[in-house]
Amino acid sequence: MKLMHLNLTTTDTAASADFLCTYFGLRNEGGNKGFMMLRDDAGMVITLMKSKAVRYPETFHIGFYPEGEPAVDALYARLTTDGFSVSAPERHHGYSIYVEAPGGFTVEVTA
């Protein structure tokens, strides 16, 4: 069985959707201010639901796994240039960066 759907709570569905589409290649499948549906090329669906407050556990995050360390470095440079607060690449369980997405959740990028 394969995990194919994830629902995220966000304080700003449009900003979260724009972020995920711009930097992680998801497609916006539509919605409104309170709900948006995104999809990747493998068919994974991420829904974004608006809430006044986002309360994830401290270590909660979603992750993307690009092909190789150069892709992590390129995304780090792009996010930093665009004004996001991004952790410098480090080796943990892989070569990773973490960024706070608009709307209140953390994204990990690991090669």
Side-chain angles (χ1 to χ4, degrees):
M1 194 175 320
K2 189 174 181 182
L3 177 64
M4 294 297 294
H5 172 69
L6 177 66
N7 183 73
L8 297 172
T9 302
T10 174
T11 57
D12 188 334
T13 55
S16 295
D18 287 345
F19 176 79
L20 292 169
C21 291
T22 299
Y23 297 101
F24 299 99
L26 278 76
R27 292 183 311 281
N28 189 332
E29 301 273 317
N32 55 47
K33 287 185 177 183
F35 173 87
M36 297 188 110
M37 187 170 83
L38 310 177
R39 188 179 306 268
D40 72 8
D41 289 339
M44 172 71 164
V45 173
I46 296 178
T47 52
L48 303 170
M49 297 185 79
K50 185 171 175 74
S51 180
K52 290 181 182 178
V54 175
R55 296 186 192 116
Y56 290 113
E58 184 179 339
T59 59
F60 175 84
H61 61 278
I62 62 171
F64 291 90
Y65 287 72
E67 292 292 324
E69 292 179 9
V72 175
D73 289 333
L75 188 56
Y76 172 76
R78 187 172 169 209
L79 288 164
T80 301
T81 298
D82 289 351
F84 290 96
S85 176
V86 186
S87 67
E90 291 186 47
R91 293 189 192 286
H92 297 289
H93 54 279
Y95 186 70
S96 305
I97 61 173
Y98 293 85
V99 58
E100 292 299 314
F105 56 94
T106 301
V107 176
E108 171 190 359
V109 182
T110 297

